[in-house]
Amino acid sequence: MTQPKLPRRSILGGAAASFALAGVARAAVADIFPVIETADGKLRGLVSGGIKVFKGVPYGADTSGSNRFRPPQPVKKWAGIRDALDYGNVCPQVPGDRRRDYANLISLDLQPGGMGEDCLNLNLWTPDLSRTAKKPVIVRFHGGGFYGGSGNSPGMDGEMLARYGDCVVVSVNHRLSAFGFLHLADSGAPSAFAQSGMAGMLDLSACLSWVR
């Protein structure tokens, strides 16, 4: 039995509707998962309550291996779109002792993202992605005595501040403790370690350069 032929107008109308729906779907995805272009490559973020959020954004290269104790190195540019939907690593550290009231107050052990030496990353919240938007930028360096803590901890979340302050908020992860401040220049170590005692501070400087 032969199938009835649809009128040409119906076929074209159906195709047009399909293209329209596909366009709506692409627009919806773009609204939920915005893509921005940085000097290092494109990033895909997430919209939360109208605030555009980009997490785990690298501002420096992996600090393990030959980069350990050395000044931060530039990020290797990437092709395509890199997801910035979840927190990156925090510098390896000993979790806070929750038997102490102060540890319960600051909750430095509640740090999503995991630990690892590839920890030169930042988190960014912004109400506007327009290049012409002139918003104040607040960069938050976490506490912890330079031995613990991270920009991933709940107290560093910048969504509310970005929303009600109408500003861009950045929280930062960097090297801590021996990874960031072990002085090796006088120990006969290679000259590459001449700035080893201030690597953690150089990380913060590199972050500010990225934000600028």
Side-chain angles (χ1 to χ4, degrees):
M1 184 175 65
T2 59
Q3 295 291 332
K5 293 184 178 181
L6 293 173
R8 180 180 176 83
R9 181 176 299 176
S10 297
I11 295 174
L12 294 177
S18 297
F19 282 124
L21 287 174
V24 170
R26 284 194 296 270
V29 169
D31 287 342
I32 300 173
F33 299 100
V35 174
I36 61 171
E37 186 162 5
T38 72
D40 301 313
K42 293 182 178 180
L43 292 169
R44 178 185 290 111
L46 178 68
V47 175
S48 177
I51 299 301
K52 291 73 176 174
V53 185
F54 299 86
K55 295 179 178 178
V57 180
Y59 66 87
D62 189 343
T63 58
S64 64
S66 60
N67 286 336
R68 187 176 294 126
F69 307 125
R70 294 182 59 198
Q73 303 300 306
V75 175
K76 183 178 179 179
K77 298 184 186 335
W78 60 86
I81 301 175
R82 177 177 181 145
D83 283 336
L85 306 173
D86 204 359
Y87 291 109
N89 287 337
V90 305
C91 186
Q93 59 196 264
V94 177
D97 187 342
R98 296 302 292 275
R99 293 172 297 179
R100 300 178 181 275
D101 291 338
Y102 182 64
N104 281 324
L105 174 66
I106 60 178
S107 300
L108 287 185
D109 60 324
L110 302 179
Q111 301 177 65
M115 294 185 189
E117 288 190 72
D118 188 8
C119 62
L120 302 191
N121 60 78
L122 57 85
N123 310 304
L124 186 149
W125 295 261
T126 179
D128 195 336
L129 292 176
S130 171
R131 291 182 178 273
T132 59
K134 297 185 181 296
K135 305 289 184 186
V137 179
I138 299 176
V139 180
R140 304 180 66 191
F141 296 148
H142 65 82
F146 296 108
Y147 71 87
S150 80
N152 298 357
S153 60
M156 298 298 292
D157 188 287
E159 182 176 329
M160 297 291 278
L161 180 56
R163 177 177 296 112
Y164 295 108
D166 193 29
C167 60
V168 179
V169 180
V170 178
S171 70
V172 186
N173 289 313
H174 59 94
R175 282 174 285 182
L176 304 169
S177 192
F179 293 102
F181 302 98
L182 178 62
H183 181 68
L184 297 171
D186 299 329
S187 63
S191 59
F193 295 156
Q195 295 178 290
S196 57
M198 62 179 73
M201 299 306 293
L202 294 175
D203 293 345
L204 299 181
S205 178
C207 167
L208 293 176
S209 296
W210 187 97
V211 172
R212 183 182 60 193

